[in-house]
Amino acid sequence: MAPQTPQRSEAPRGTRGAPRPPLVALAGLFLRAGNLTFGGGHVITATLQREMVHRRGWLTLDQYGLAQSLAKVTPGTGILAFCAATAWMLRRWAGALVAVLAASVPSAAFVVLLTWAFTSLTSSRPAQVALAAVLAAAVGMMWAAAWLLVRPQLTPATWLRTGVMVVGAFVALWRWSISPLQILLVAALIGVFWNSGETA
Amino acid sequence: MKLVLLYVLLLKAMATTFGGTASLAVLREDVVVRHGFLTDRDLNLAVTAGRSGPGPNGIYLVSVGYLIAGVPGACVGWLAMITPAFLVIPLVRLVGARADSPRVLGAIRASTAASAGLLMAAMVPIARGALTDGLLVAVAAASFAVFSFTRIDSAWVILAAALTGGVGMALTH
């Protein structure tokens, strides 16, 4: 599913006078969107847009768009920042806390179970072979994750900077073992001055 | 004390990168290379566990924490994953429209591209340990293609890889 871009001209249902949603309702929504939705951040934000803007009228499309933009400039996991931002707009800090907890605790518990299962799979030969193949698949996925980070930036205006950053960072870490943190800082500084008037 | 150090290391990886998985290079530098808490294989296993279920991209930190310090470590990993999310709130209050400025966007996009390069470099030693025969290289290539160019969920890719491994073993023995 493609990321949903809010249409600012489309009039959302008015939310200014709407009652604040109860924390239980917020928890239920973020629980469902954060833990039962496979497919990553875009699918989760699309689910939340449908529920919060179009079905329940809790947020306007402009508020949704602002939360989406700011989540992109927040370090860490963008989808959790997006949950915190939208829930803060509705119920301030209590809402943000409830949303982030609801969106992350069940899936975190599930990941612990999976990790335990994977580490327990070392006794039998078929399980070892299957796990080796699964770990190989993870290598492919991480290379794909790198590609998916870069792909949106391969536009006529930004491809050269993107290429220089990718190759430069790769070489700086792999060949010269420069600290990743320093590499990221230098890249950000370069981006401040080497930009093409880009917009969100 | 170890839990505090673990939290600081995981938070450092998470709070200095954008997009969850981009934190892998910073994390590997600390927990594998500098402190030796995990091997590359452990880290790869954590990434796999994170990719096998629902949840945000950074959830592999929970698995990293669990592998290093059991359930308390998993809680620390979860805390490190969610902490940076709350930085968005002062941004909503204060920065607002400046998030659209070309300089801010330029900085974010350039460092995101750099983090992709870092991710690829961090995966080189992990790949050396994981891709030890032709079948495993083929599995990794297929996984890359499916993950890059289709919307098939990663849990299915992992299941298919496990089945491929099992069938490959049955055919060669």
Side-chain angles (χ1 to χ4, degrees):
Chain A
M1 185 183 296
Q4 308 233 331
T5 306
Q7 313 261 314
R8 279 155 208 265
S9 57
E10 180 189 316
R13 281 192 280 180
T15 56
R16 285 195 182 276
R20 295 192 311 166
L23 288 176
V24 174
L26 266 187
L29 176 60
F30 284 97
L31 197 69
R32 187 155 61 85
N35 301 286
L36 300 177
T37 314
F38 285 84
H42 290 322
V43 180
I44 298 174
T45 51
T47 306
L48 288 173
Q49 181 189 351
R50 181 168 176 272
E51 291 295 324
M52 290 198 290
V53 178
H54 302 291
R55 285 197 61 212
R56 306 181 194 213
W58 288 348
L59 292 176
T60 65
L61 274 172
D62 281 340
Q63 287 174 310
Y64 174 91
L66 180 67
Q68 205 174 38
S69 302
L70 291 177
K72 282 182 192 155
V73 302
T74 306
T77 302
I79 186 61
L80 291 179
F82 175 79
C83 293
T86 49
W88 184 85
M89 289 170 176
L90 295 166
R91 293 297 307 257
R92 294 298 183 249
W93 282 97
L97 199 59
V98 162
V100 170
L101 290 180
S104 65
V105 169
S107 48
F110 189 61
V111 162
V112 169
L113 281 178
L114 279 173
T115 311
W116 173 80
F118 284 164
T119 49
S120 308
L121 282 179
T122 48
S123 51
S124 76
R125 173 75 183 143
Q128 281 177 11
V129 173
L131 187 58
V134 166
L135 294 179
V139 170
M141 279 185 205
M142 294 310 284
W143 281 82
W147 163 244
L148 294 175
L149 281 174
V150 167
R151 191 168 63 180
Q153 296 194 41
L154 296 178
T155 64
T158 56
W159 69 269
L160 183 59
R161 184 189 69 199
T162 302
V164 170
M165 293 298 126
V166 171
V167 174
F170 183 89
V171 172
L173 180 61
W174 186 52
R175 300 299 301 177
W176 302 325
S177 302
I178 296 173
S179 148
L181 220 51
Q182 290 172 1
I183 296 169
L184 290 171
L185 195 64
V186 170
L189 277 175
I190 292 172
V192 168
F193 298 104
W194 185 2
N195 65 72
S196 47
E198 53 215 291
T199 52
Chain B
M1 191 57 206
K2 189 183 177 185
L3 289 179
V4 175
L5 174 64
L6 184 60
Y7 177 71
V8 170
L9 295 180
L10 299 184
L11 181 64
K12 177 183 156 196
M14 208 52 168
T16 53
T17 52
F18 296 88
T21 41
S23 54
L24 190 76
V26 180
L27 188 66
R28 182 179 175 275
E29 182 80 6
D30 280 329
V31 302
V32 177
V33 178
R34 191 168 301 158
H35 292 280
F37 290 155
L38 292 181
T39 63
D40 275 326
R41 186 178 184 278
D42 293 333
L43 188 57
N44 195 11
L45 191 141
V47 169
T48 309
R51 287 279 175 188
S52 303
N57 284 337
I59 203 141
Y60 79 98
L61 285 199
V62 175
S63 182
V64 167
Y66 178 76
L67 288 173
I68 294 175
V71 171
C75 295
V76 165
W78 168 78
L79 203 58
M81 174 184 73
I82 67 163
T83 307
F86 295 99
L87 291 174
V88 79
I89 292 168
L91 279 179
V92 171
R93 298 181 69 162
L94 302 173
V95 181
R98 269 180 233 167
D100 287 340
S101 110
R103 283 179 182 241
V104 173
L105 285 173
I108 289 166
R109 288 174 186 170
S111 67
T112 300
S115 65
L118 292 177
L119 185 55
M120 289 193 273
M123 287 310 290
V124 170
I126 295 175
R128 278 194 191 128
L131 309 183
T132 48
D133 65 36
L135 179 65
L136 296 176
V137 171
V139 167
S143 160
F144 172 83
V146 169
F147 208 69
S148 296
F149 304 113
T150 75
R151 297 203 170 274
I152 295 171
D153 190 81
S154 51
W156 293 112
V157 177
I158 285 166
L159 187 63
L163 290 174
T164 307
V167 170
M169 189 182 83
L171 290 177
T172 51
H173 289 79

